[in-house]
Amino acid sequence: MASEEKDEAGVQDPLFILECGEVYRNPTEIKMSQIVLPCHSNHCGELSVGQLLKWMDSTACLSAERHAGGSCVTASVDDIHFERTIGVGKVINITAKVNRAFTSSMEVGILVTCEDLYTGKLWQVCHAFASFVARRTTAGKVQLKQVIPHTQMEQMEYSLAAERRRMRLIHAEIITDILSSSTAQLGECQEYQDAVPSERTRVESVELVLPPHANHQVSTFGGQIMAWMENVATIAASRLCNSSPTLRSIDMFHFRGPSHIGDRLVLKAIVNNSFKHSMEVGVCAEAYQGGEPLRHINSAFMTFEALDSDGKPRTLPRIRPEPVEGKRRYQEAIARKKIRLDRKYIMSCKQTEAPLSVPWDPSNQMYLSYNNVSALKLMDARNSWVLTSEKNKVRLYILEEDQVLFFKVEMHVSVPAEQTFRLLSDLRRRREWDQYYEDCEVINQADDDDTIYRVTTPSLKKGGRGQDFILLASRRKPCDPRDPYVIALRSVTMPTHPPTEDYNRGEVLCAGFTICEESSTVTKITYYNQASPGVLPYISTDIVGLSSGYSSSFSACSDFLEANKANLAALSPSAV
Ligand code: COA
Ligand code: ADP
């Protein structure tokens, strides 16, 4: 583990000096530092994750309230992964800032680092994103002021926040769909000898919400509820492993409704399934006052491991689920494990790493689409591009970073941005202006935003084999007028379209367009591509100045857009 330690945790923006000479500090940034004391830890002397969640939630809430200028509540928290446990005596540093405000909700980024005061070492514990909503006033829903990003890092987080929000809002619906289709394929639960009956792990516990658990508006702190949920989940997990379990991750969750002082919170947990080295514990939090019916506040799924004395995961006993509901949760835990693994793989694929293509599967569509768009947005946020040539008002830039070459082509067209987006987002029409697009067909229309195409390009050598690409195109309309339209492209693999002998299978790591409205009639188009072996031959002669294929292609693109700008029949592929 020591190799993971960093002198400095997390990526820091370089200092940004304001015109007045002062160092810029994000106005919503809130910091909290705490020494981990025995009262914050479990019986093994490790910081309780529940306590950490409370600190994270209150720091983030103060940041949200600083931006909103009023009271805010926790709406949801994205998946959190905990890499390491933290011992008594260490210092926890938490930094939270608002990445972006939407209408009444905000995304707050939370960075947690741990510091060893004796060695001076500092390392990252986790990086989380929480959404807070400004409390309604008597005038109704609050309209928050915009966040204005100042640094490159803030610009990047601002841009990615829109993509994360999209994923958050569709998350519950998509997970429900995936669970029902995946569990149908799983069939009967497997019977294991010596399996532990799941009811042996069942926990039910009640908490009375008192003033210290709530804010000045008498609403229960989200972090407090998370801490109580973590507490019952840990008891359930301990009953299976008969030792002290370690919490590894919490899946994205949503606070469905508020809770107040005087509520009785009923927390229920059970081990839904156990795998070789990990188990999934589900927790449900419900509230009531007096004789009222129970209100569903939150449900969360937590993954635990049990570590041996060397810190290696121990083999866990298997679970025998209860009939009906228990069996359903057992099957759903298998499907959620697959979703988590797919997500981990997709999110951890660095743009520079092989394998380039990720298998397409309905269960990983949400993450692949997110990964596709966010990779393009990250390229868009880079600011050290070098202009290498300009021809016919088409500019070619390159950027070399850690042995990786990126290029971008920029031009302006006198076509409205929305029409430009419609015309460019149907890849089948690209052959009308790009000589390298020999053929293009839709092979899967996943939904309105995601389409998979097979594209063929001719051979650069006479008599050689052409290339084919299986490309996921993810389209996004702007979240607000300051955002660009985005068309992101990346290679995926599809079992229905394996490589053939007639073509070399080419791969695109990250490419696509951002389309910005400069005025109602003028649009800036930027095309990005991360050079991979599949695409480099098509651009390298342009980069070194031996040809100007890019400028003729993009001039042809401009002509194509002009010629079709009045054509309202330019429909998205999904509408075909
Ligand atoms: N994640 C992030 N934001 C979410 C969300 C989720 N899962 N679900 C809704 N929102 C956002 C909406 O996008 C909207 O944002 P916008 O105004 O910027 O567009 C905002 O919440 C309000 O949505 P609205 O449709 O007006 O209300 P709603 O009926 O969906 O309620 C909450 C959303 C969060 C206000 C409501 O579920 C709630 O009160 N939850 C409890 C919050 C709480 O008390 N937490 C503390 C612990 S109990
Ligand atoms: P689901 O049943 O679809 O998983 P719920 O929101 O009802 O969703 O519950 C979330 C999780 O909380 C369940 O998966 C289960 O692990 C746990 N849980 C729910 N009800 C109980 C209960 N009565 N006893 C113990 N644990 C429960």
Side-chain angles (χ1 to χ4, degrees):
M1 283 287 188
S3 61
E4 283 173 28
E5 284 176 3
K6 299 173 194 162
D7 287 336
E8 233 183 302
V11 191
Q12 299 287 330
D13 249 344
L15 289 185
F16 181 72
I17 312 292
L18 295 167
E19 270 177 23
C20 60
E22 280 175 23
V23 175
Y24 167 76
R25 177 167 172 180
N26 186 306
T28 67
E29 186 180 280
I30 298 280
K31 287 175 184 260
M32 181 190 273
S33 287
Q34 299 277 356
I35 294 195
V36 179
L37 299 174
C39 62
H40 303 132
S41 71
N42 58 22
H43 56 281
C44 302
E46 287 160 356
L47 171 63
S48 107
V49 175
Q51 177 61 61
L52 178 61
L53 292 170
K54 278 202 268 185
W55 287 335
M56 288 166 68
D57 180 65
S58 37
T59 316
C61 185
L62 293 180
S63 170
E65 292 188 344
R66 183 178 267 184
H67 182 75
S71 167
C72 296
V73 289
T74 322
S76 66
V77 182
D78 295 0
D79 299 19
I80 315 181
H81 299 270
F82 301 96
E83 294 299 331
R84 292 206 271 173
T85 54
I86 295 150
V88 168
K90 302 281 187 300
V91 167
I92 287 291
N93 298 302
I94 304 174
T95 306
K97 64 183 167 59
V98 177
N99 290 332
R100 185 163 180 158
F102 302 97
T103 309
S104 66
S105 68
M106 288 152 275
E107 179 189 278
V108 181
I110 312 160
L111 179 67
V112 183
T113 60
C114 183
E115 185 183 346
D116 184 323
L117 292 173
Y118 300 122
T119 62
K121 283 204 170 115
L122 191 69
W123 62 93
Q124 187 170 314
V125 176
C126 65
H127 191 185
F129 298 99
S131 297
F132 285 81
V133 176
R135 192 185 295 276
R136 281 171 182 267
T137 62
T138 42
K141 190 165 165 165
V142 170
Q143 170 74 58
L144 293 167
K145 63 176 186 280
Q146 294 262 315
V147 165
I148 313 286
H150 280 94
T151 65
Q152 187 184 354
M153 193 75 84
E154 285 178 9
Q155 178 58 49
M156 197 176 78
E157 292 296 0
Y158 177 90
S159 176
L160 294 182
E163 196 50 27
R164 285 189 288 257
R165 175 181 196 249
R166 174 186 180 274
M167 191 154 73
R168 239 166 253 142
L169 296 182
I170 57 173
H171 179 265
E173 201 181 311
I174 290 201
I175 295 285
T176 310
D177 283 356
I178 297 172
L179 290 185
S180 55
S181 60
S182 325
T183 50
Q185 290 165 12
L186 286 170
E188 269 303 295
C189 300
Q190 215 171 325
E191 288 280 341
Y192 291 95
Q193 253 193 346
D194 307 327
V196 175
S198 62
E199 54 269 31
R200 205 184 285 168
T201 69
R202 184 193 295 279
V203 185
E204 181 175 320
S205 182
V206 70
E207 299 282 353
L208 172 62
V209 181
L210 296 172
H213 305 132
N215 64 16
H216 48 288
Q217 306 282 345
V218 305
S219 290
T220 317
F221 283 121
Q224 178 62 68
I225 296 179
M226 289 191 272
W228 283 330
M229 292 173 86
E230 191 265 344
N231 174 49
V232 289
T234 304
I235 298 173
S238 310
R239 285 185 178 158
L240 182 74
C241 64
N242 295 123
S243 62
S244 175
T246 301
L247 180 58
R248 281 289 171 231
S249 68
I250 306 178
D251 293 359
M252 183 188 292
F253 63 80
H254 171 208
F255 284 100
R256 295 158 190 251
S259 153
H260 305 287
I261 292 177
D263 271 349
R264 275 72 171 162
L265 271 182
V266 181
L267 302 136
K268 296 173 191 160
I270 195 163
V271 176
N272 286 335
N273 203 339
S274 65
F275 306 97
K276 195 167 179 209
H277 290 138
S278 68
M279 64 183 113
E280 181 194 276
V281 182
V283 201
C284 175
E286 293 166 312
Y288 71 93
Q289 292 228 4
E292 287 173 11
L294 287 169
R295 304 179 326 263
H296 189 182
I297 302 292
N298 199 338
S299 289
F301 298 96
M302 306 187 186
T303 304
F304 287 86
E305 284 175 351
L307 304 179
D308 64 18
S309 51
D310 297 328
K312 302 240 161 39
R314 277 179 29 206
T315 303
L316 294 169
R318 308 305 294 232
I319 273 283
R320 184 177 317 118
E322 293 173 302
V324 195
E325 285 290 272
K327 283 193 172 171
R328 172 182 61 81
R329 289 173 182 152
Y330 177 97
Q331 301 286 37
E332 290 185 353
I334 299 174
R336 274 189 294 266
K337 184 173 162 68
K338 178 179 178 324
I339 297 169
R340 274 179 219 121
L341 287 175
D342 282 351
R343 178 186 188 279
K344 199 168 182 176
Y345 175 71
I346 293 166
M347 298 300 187
S348 65
C349 266
K350 300 224 171 70
Q351 287 169 36
T352 47
E353 276 173 5
L356 311 180
S357 298
V358 177
W360 168 265
D361 183 299
S363 72
N364 63 20
Q365 177 190 338
M366 178 171 62
Y367 297 118
L368 260 181
S369 181
Y370 168 81
N371 170 283
N372 195 13
V373 174
S374 54
L376 190 75
K377 287 189 166 188
L378 286 176
M379 221 190 298
D380 187 44
R382 289 170 200 267
N383 58 8
S384 38
W385 294 95
V386 178
L387 180 65
T388 60
S389 64
E390 178 164 3
K391 207 167 172 218
N392 302 330
K393 296 199 176 147
V394 180
R395 287 178 292 279
L396 175 67
Y397 297 81
I398 62 164
L399 190 156
E400 283 177 85
E401 207 173 74
D402 301 332
Q403 311 287 324
V404 186
L405 179 69
F406 304 91
F407 65 89
K408 75 168 178 178
V409 180
E410 205 176 77
M411 67 175 178
H412 285 82
V413 290
S414 303
V415 179
E418 186 166 7
Q419 184 71 341
T420 303
F421 173 67
R422 282 190 199 174
L423 287 163
L424 292 182
S425 59
D426 185 353
L427 284 204
R428 290 166 308 175
R429 300 202 64 180
R430 185 153 162 182
R431 61 190 163 197
E432 292 178 43
W433 57 271
D434 186 346
Q435 56 173 323
Y436 295 123
Y437 262 52
E438 194 174 61
D439 200 12
C440 177
E441 55 166 332
V442 174
I443 56 176
N444 186 327
Q445 182 65 62
D447 59 26
D448 274 358
D449 291 335
D450 292 303
T451 313
I452 302 180
Y453 296 91
R454 177 170 175 266
V455 175
T456 56
T457 58
S459 164
L460 287 181
K461 282 193 230 123
K462 222 173 170 194
R465 284 197 298 178
Q467 288 200 97
D468 71 345
F469 297 83
I470 305 297
L471 295 182
L472 165 66
S474 305
R475 314 156 4 109
R476 296 288 186 274
K477 287 191 173 171
C479 184
D480 68 41
R482 287 150 44 97
D483 272 329
Y485 290 85
V486 172
I487 305 162
L489 307 169
R490 66 156 298 148
S491 282
V492 290
T493 57
M494 298 267 290
T496 48
H497 289 75
T500 61
E501 284 189 354
D502 302 334
Y503 289 91
N504 291 323
R505 176 58 54 87
E507 293 198 302
V508 171
L509 293 148
C510 169
F513 297 91
T514 60
I515 297 162
C516 300
E517 184 175 88
E518 303 256 297
S519 71
S520 58
T521 52
V522 177
T523 299
K524 182 171 94 177
I525 303 176
T526 312
Y527 176 72
Y528 292 94
N529 205 327
Q530 178 177 343
S532 61
V535 288
L536 196 58
Y538 296 92
I539 190 79
S540 54
T541 51
D542 285 305
I543 292 173
V544 296
L546 291 174
S547 70
S548 54
Y550 79 91
S551 90
S552 31
S553 288
F554 282 85
S555 296
C557 176
S558 174
D559 295 343
F560 159 76
L561 295 170
E562 292 271 356
N564 289 284
K565 71 178 172 189
N567 179 4
L568 290 175
L571 292 169
S572 67
S574 57
V576 174

